[in-house]
Amino acid sequence: MRIVLLGPPGAGKGTQARRLSESTGMKHLSTGDILRAEVAAKSELGLLAKSFMDKGDLVPDSNIIAMIQQYIDDPSGVLLDGFPRTVVQAESLDKSLKEAGLPIDKVVHMSVDTDELIRRLSQRVMCTDCQTPYNLDHSAPAKAGVCDKCGGEVIARDDDKQEAVMNRMKVYQELTAPVLDYYKSHGDVAEIKAIGTPDSVFEKLSQAIGTSVSAN
Ligand code: AP5
């Protein structure tokens, strides 16, 4: 099974994809997480990506498309979080999946109003070592600035600074909102209002995906 989670920065795609992955065994494919790992490793891709990510711009399509190829036919099923983010990426994904004989089973659009998105992102912090996410509003680490899991340093993402957040919102409207129209013109998109507690959003998401959530 392949599920695409669409939504603006801070909509909760990562939060919900992690939970869904735990409950179904599907692979959580977050292009943001993969890129942050590349940045931490100071790889060639990471060094290139950082210059785009810190400003809140998108990494070029060609780098992203090459990066995700190895993951999309995972036999456990895939939850796509943060990809596709441009129409070019969506077309490329369709082509690759068609060649592999694999369909996209569900596209879910998670909507949240802008004030709430900005509030969530202003409270988000993350471990610089193991990438465990926290939120100072409702899920802060037990000791301020220290990761509960690995003892690493917990700080805000560079792209959660105000200027980068405003640019990410603009980039979303310009380049990623058309992906929603692309999927609507090709078939069904399930719409959920991703507000309320993470538990209540998970319930809405599970309903939108259907009870048949399973591998393959
Ligand atoms: P990426 O990491 O994908 O960032 P994003 O899409 O902007 O998404 P976020 O991680 O900000 O938000 P989310 O929706 O996952 O929300 P989360 O669950 O964390 O990408 C980062 C950068 O990498 C991009 O800007 C770009 O440069 C590059 N990139 C990545 N993919 C790319 C691609 N395909 N093409 C080109 N470039 C690419 O939740 C946010 C916060 O809210 C958390 O603190 C969480 O605890 C909290 N929260 C979640 N749900 C709730 C709730 N229901 N109530 C209260 N708080 C909540």
Side-chain angles (χ1 to χ4, degrees), residues 7-16 18 30-33 35-36 52-53 56-61 64 81-85 89 116 119-121 123-125 134-135 138-139 157 159-160 168 194-198 201:
K13 304 179 296 293
T15 301
Q16 297 301 333
R18 276 187 289 277
S30 159
T31 41
D33 285 350
L35 288 169
R36 279 182 287 279
F52 293 94
M53 294 169 80
D57 287 333
L58 295 187
V59 176
D61 286 334
I64 297 291
D81 158 18
F83 179 89
R85 229 173 172 107
Q89 292 179 18
E116 170 68 3
R119 195 183 65 75
R120 288 181 187 180
L121 295 177
Q123 299 301 311
R124 176 169 61 183
V125 286
Y134 298 91
N135 188 291
H138 51 73
S139 51
R157 273 169 46 176
D159 65 348
D160 279 346
R168 283 160 66 200
I195 48 173
T197 63
V201 175

Side-chain angles (χ1 to χ4, degrees), residues 99-115:
E99 281 166 12
L102 299 167
I104 291 176
D105 298 275
K106 204 83 184 179
V107 179
V108 183
H109 175 224
M110 301 170 64
S111 62
V112 176
D113 70 64
T114 307
D115 286 351

Side-chain angles (χ1 to χ4, degrees), residues 106-183:
K106 204 83 184 179
V107 179
V108 183
H109 175 224
M110 301 170 64
S111 62
V112 176
D113 70 64
T114 307
D115 286 351
E116 170 68 3
L117 294 172
I118 290 170
R119 195 183 65 75
R120 288 181 187 180
L121 295 177
S122 70
Q123 299 301 311
R124 176 169 61 183
V125 286
M126 184 172 271
C127 176
T128 50
D129 288 346
C130 71
Q131 296 202 29
T132 297
Y134 298 91
N135 188 291
L136 300 177
D137 245 5
H138 51 73
S139 51
K143 188 173 171 200
V146 181
C147 180
D148 295 346
K149 284 197 182 152
C150 76
E153 188 187 15
V154 172
I155 54 172
R157 273 169 46 176
D158 282 338
D159 65 348
D160 279 346
K161 293 181 180 140
Q162 196 184 7
E163 201 179 327
V165 166
M166 297 324 282
N167 190 40
R168 283 160 66 200
M169 297 293 172
K170 184 167 155 273
V171 167
Y172 180 82
Q173 286 309 326
E174 285 175 5
L175 297 174
T176 309
V179 176
L180 184 57
D181 297 332
Y182 173 87
Y183 282 123

